[in-house]
């Protein structure tokens, strides 16, 4: 891989004529970057697809090619990409529905807006993978018909399709009203009873891990129930039966449903598996009583999920803040706190609560400023990136709390150039701060030069347009390929250097 040319292909400042020249010498790696250029013209896209056939798929998804540019016989993958985007020639759909390659028919089955005649062909396909893919994406009317398909894999796919009618989803779970499935992927290829080894050494084996069949297609039936439980279109009346199911995975899916009846939630709150209780604790459908019950759970993950529940009462959240490690994150309940609640939280005697509030980025000036002057470093660290803080406040944070807050101060989008330079020169260096400075729009050349000394900040700094051009040129010979690509993609790379780096097409 030529990392210099790959970087140039992504360089937004690459002149039009050099884009043309790069297309003429492009390989698959260079074409991948060229295909995503915002300034790529239609003519250049056509030329790139002709030069590197594989790029036509990406170009089609990027909207750079039209059906007039694609030969479906010579470029089937690109044609299918256009169909997938709803921009292909409708006549192609019938062509691919009869394609001898199953992968193409399977890809077609996932495309939107297929004509009814084509959907009928795919529904009757001889390969179950094609029918299952159709079932995953098809419309309600076709889903009703496919629910009676004799293969369990098709029914499994229907269970994940949100267009499948609720009554059909209920039947897929219970089996009531449907003839039993006759086959599954396991008994298609193995003598039953059979359980697939999770560490199966066979390279040609496509069975899912843990797949099993003893005559009733057990693993596929279980997976069908799991997908239906995760499908919001499945009626809650059909899923409550799984509250005591021996499968932990099914109980996990049930605990996360946002239409969970209170009585079912209460049963799951006593589940022996902490993961089930944790999923329930984060469910916005549960009421205050259940939230308070789960907040008293001894498991840390359960309590953590309660804290992340958007409906957790603030008094519960305040208690959890002092005992559960939540980290610097904006919790949903904090994000939706009313102005009066924000004032209450700001006055909390618990610094962990003030820290949670400080993660908001829309605080009133007076509350922001009070938190910026907080005596607790955790609070200051959280408020440091808040917009509107002046240089004096940011420098004061560093003076009071030192290395604990430097990286978050450097992440403040309003941090002035002089401050960033000073932070970059700290000894010993604060490596997280160097990475923030390297990507900061206000970073200056001197600050970026300091960032180059850090292994993880170096590739970021190499792509910063404020880096001095001679340094950018030197970085093109760096030992780290990520640095090389970033330097080549730097819009401040001199055009004359770009011209020297892009080879002339052979025969020119």
């Amino acid at each position: 891989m030529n990392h210099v040319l790959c970087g140039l292909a992504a360089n937004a400042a690459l002149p039009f004529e050099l884009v043309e020249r790069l297309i003429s010498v492009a390989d698959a790696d260079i074409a991948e970057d060229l295909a995503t250029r915002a300034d790529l013209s239609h003519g250049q896209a056509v030329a790139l697809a002709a030069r590197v056939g594989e790029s036509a798929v990406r170009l089609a998804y990027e909207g750079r090619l039209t059906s007039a540019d694609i030969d479906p016989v010579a470029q089937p993958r690109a044609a299918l990409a256009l169909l997938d985007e709803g921009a292909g020639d409708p006549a192609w759909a019938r062509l691919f529905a009869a394609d001898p390659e199953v992968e193409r028919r399977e890809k077609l089955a996932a495309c939107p807006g297929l004509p009814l005649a084509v959907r009928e062909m795919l529904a009757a396909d001889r390969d179950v993978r094609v029918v299952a893919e159709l079932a995953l994406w098809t419309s309600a009317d076709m889903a009703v018909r496919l629910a009676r398909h004799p293969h369990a894999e098709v029914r499994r796919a229907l269970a994940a399709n949100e267009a499948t009618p609720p009554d059909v989803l209920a039947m897929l779970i219970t089996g009531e009203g449907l003839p039993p499935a006759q086959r599954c992927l396991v008994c298609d290829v193995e003598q039953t009873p059979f359980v697939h080894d999770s560490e199966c050494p066979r390279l040609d084996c496509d069975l899912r891990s843990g797949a099993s069949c003893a005559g009733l297609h057990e693993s596929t039936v279980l997976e069908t129930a799991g997908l239906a439980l995760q499908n919001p279109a499945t009626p809650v009346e059909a899923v409550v039966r799984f509250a005591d199911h021996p499968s932990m995975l099914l109980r996990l899916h049930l605990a996360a449903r946002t239409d969970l009846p209170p009585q079912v939630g209460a049963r799951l709150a006593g589940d022996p598996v902490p993961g089930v209780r944790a999923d329930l604790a984060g469910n916005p459908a549960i009421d205050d009583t259940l939230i308070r019950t789960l907040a008293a759970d001894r498991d840390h993950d359960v309590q953590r999920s309660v804290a992340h529940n958007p409906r957790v009462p603030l008094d519960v959240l305040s208690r959890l803040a002092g005992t559960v490690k939540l980290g610097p994150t904006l919790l949903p309940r904090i994000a939706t706190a009313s102005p009066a609640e924000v004032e209450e939280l700001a006055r909390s005697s618990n610094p962990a609560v003030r820290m949670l509030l400080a993660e908001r980025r829309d605080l009133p000036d007076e509350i922001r400023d009070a938190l910026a002057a907080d005596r607790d470093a955790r609070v200051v660290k959280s408020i440091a990136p808040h917009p509107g803080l002046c240089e004096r406040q940011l420098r004061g944070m560093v003076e009071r709390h030192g290395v604990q807050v430097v990286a978050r101060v450097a992440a403040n989008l309003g941090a002035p150039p002089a401050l960033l330079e000073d932070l970059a020169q700290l000894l010993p260096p604060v490596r997280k701060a160097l990475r923030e400075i390297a990507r900061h729009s206000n970073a200056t050349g001197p600050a970026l030069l300091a960032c180059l000394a850090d292994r993880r900040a170096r590739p970021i700094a190499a792509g910063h347009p404020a880096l001095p051009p001679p340094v950018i040129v030197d970085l093109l010979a760096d030992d780290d390929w990520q640095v090389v690509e970033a330097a080549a993609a730097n819009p401040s790379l001199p055009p004359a250097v770009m011209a020297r780096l892009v080879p002339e097409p052979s025969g020119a």
Side-chain angles (χ1 to χ4, degrees):
M1 180 184 293
N2 190 319
H3 296 293
V4 170
L5 295 186
C6 285
L8 285 173
N11 194 317
L14 191 69
F16 181 87
E17 62 274 11
L18 291 184
V19 174
E20 299 251 300
R21 196 198 302 178
L22 198 51
I23 288 172
S24 68
V25 298
D27 59 16
D29 296 316
I30 297 168
E32 184 73 13
D33 288 303
L34 285 170
T36 60
R37 289 187 64 88
D39 62 350
L40 195 72
S41 70
H42 177 250
Q44 288 173 331
V46 172
L48 182 60
R51 165 76 186 180
V52 183
E54 309 96 288
S55 69
V57 175
R58 183 62 178 268
L59 289 164
Y61 277 117
E62 292 288 334
R64 305 292 185 182
L65 299 176
T66 69
S67 58
D69 304 317
I70 297 296
D71 179 349
V73 176
Q75 301 165 293
R77 292 177 61 238
L80 283 165
L82 280 182
L83 284 171
D84 194 28
E85 288 291 290
D89 187 332
W92 296 349
R94 183 176 290 275
L95 174 70
F96 286 118
D99 195 291
E101 291 197 22
V102 63
E103 290 79 9
R104 294 176 187 171
R105 303 197 308 275
E106 189 175 0
K107 176 67 177 177
L108 175 67
C111 293
L114 294 175
L116 177 59
V118 171
R119 287 188 290 143
E120 294 283 359
M121 291 176 65
L122 295 171
D125 198 278
R126 61 185 179 277
D127 194 301
V128 71
R129 290 173 293 177
V130 176
V131 187
E133 191 67 20
L134 177 68
L136 185 60
W137 304 104
T138 197
S139 57
D141 57 339
M142 181 63 74
V144 173
R145 291 174 48 193
L146 290 177
R148 306 183 71 82
H149 196 280
H151 205 288
E153 190 69 10
V154 175
R155 302 184 185 196
R156 175 185 181 275
L158 283 174
N161 187 341
E162 294 187 18
T164 301
D167 60 327
V168 175
L169 288 166
M171 287 191 289
L172 290 172
I173 286 180
T174 63
E176 298 169 4
L178 293 177
Q182 298 173 16
R183 307 291 296 173
C184 70
L185 293 181
V186 178
C187 59
D188 277 347
V189 295
E190 301 290 348
Q191 188 73 34
T192 58
F194 178 83
V195 177
H196 186 228
D197 187 346
S198 60
E199 298 182 3
C200 178
R202 295 182 297 175
L203 298 179
D204 61 343
C205 181
D206 294 328
L207 291 177
R208 290 185 288 271
S209 177
S212 66
C213 181
L216 297 177
H217 327 301
E218 285 79 1
S219 68
T220 309
V221 169
L222 195 67
E223 291 170 356
T224 299
L227 290 168
L229 278 164
Q230 297 173 81
N231 191 331
T234 304
V236 67
E237 298 80 13
V239 301
V240 294
R241 68 181 66 198
F242 293 101
D244 299 312
H245 196 278
S247 169
M248 176 194 70
L249 189 59
L250 295 187
R251 301 198 309 277
L252 283 169
H253 295 325
L254 178 62
R257 285 192 62 103
T258 56
D259 55 359
L260 201 63
Q263 65 273 21
V264 178
R267 287 164 64 188
L268 291 172
D271 197 280
V273 178
V276 174
R277 304 197 305 276
D279 277 12
L280 177 68
N283 190 332
I286 63 176
D287 59 23
D288 281 10
T289 301
L290 194 51
I291 288 176
R292 292 179 185 278
T293 298
L294 291 166
D297 196 288
R298 294 183 178 182
D299 187 85
H300 176 86
D301 289 338
V302 176
Q303 293 184 339
R304 182 179 174 84
S305 291
V306 170
H308 283 266
N309 191 309
R311 294 183 56 185
V312 60
L314 283 181
D315 66 299
V316 174
L317 182 56
S318 296
R319 289 198 303 272
L320 292 174
T323 58
V324 180
K325 188 175 180 180
L326 297 171
T329 183
L330 179 59
L331 297 177
R333 182 64 180 89
I334 296 293
T336 59
S338 68
E341 290 172 331
V342 166
E343 291 186 8
E344 177 186 347
L345 292 166
R347 292 193 301 267
S348 173
S349 60
N350 185 348
V353 172
R354 302 196 302 274
M355 178 191 72
L356 294 176
L357 175 64
E359 286 296 326
R360 278 184 61 152
R361 297 292 174 256
D362 60 349
L363 295 172
D365 293 354
E366 62 276 12
I367 291 179
R368 176 203 64 201
D369 293 344
L371 294 173
D374 200 281
R375 62 186 180 275
D376 193 289
R378 293 172 297 171
V379 178
V380 176
K381 183 178 178 180
S382 289
I383 200 66
H386 197 292
L389 292 169
C390 68
E391 181 174 3
R392 176 185 55 79
Q393 290 172 303
L394 294 172
R395 286 187 181 275
M397 294 176 182
V398 176
E399 290 170 4
R400 294 192 309 275
H401 301 289
V403 69
Q404 298 178 82
V405 302
V406 169
R408 296 301 294 273
V409 168
N412 190 298
L413 297 179
L419 174 58
L420 295 175
E421 285 188 18
D422 290 343
L423 297 180
Q425 300 294 338
L426 288 173
L427 293 176
V430 182
R431 301 197 178 279
K432 287 185 178 180
L434 292 176
R435 295 194 287 273
E436 295 292 349
I437 295 167
R439 62 172 62 92
H440 202 292
S441 60
N442 291 340
T444 62
L448 293 166
L449 289 175
C451 294
L452 290 175
D454 180 74
R455 179 181 60 84
R456 293 176 63 183
R458 188 177 180 87
I460 306 170
H464 199 293
L467 198 64
V471 177
I472 301 172
V473 175
D474 289 342
L475 292 173
L476 294 172
D478 199 86
D479 293 334
D480 186 335
W481 68 267
Q482 293 175 298
V483 174
V484 173
E485 281 201 11
N490 194 317
S492 294
L493 185 67
V497 176
M498 296 182 188
R500 290 200 304 269
L501 292 172
V502 182
E504 296 283 354
S506 58

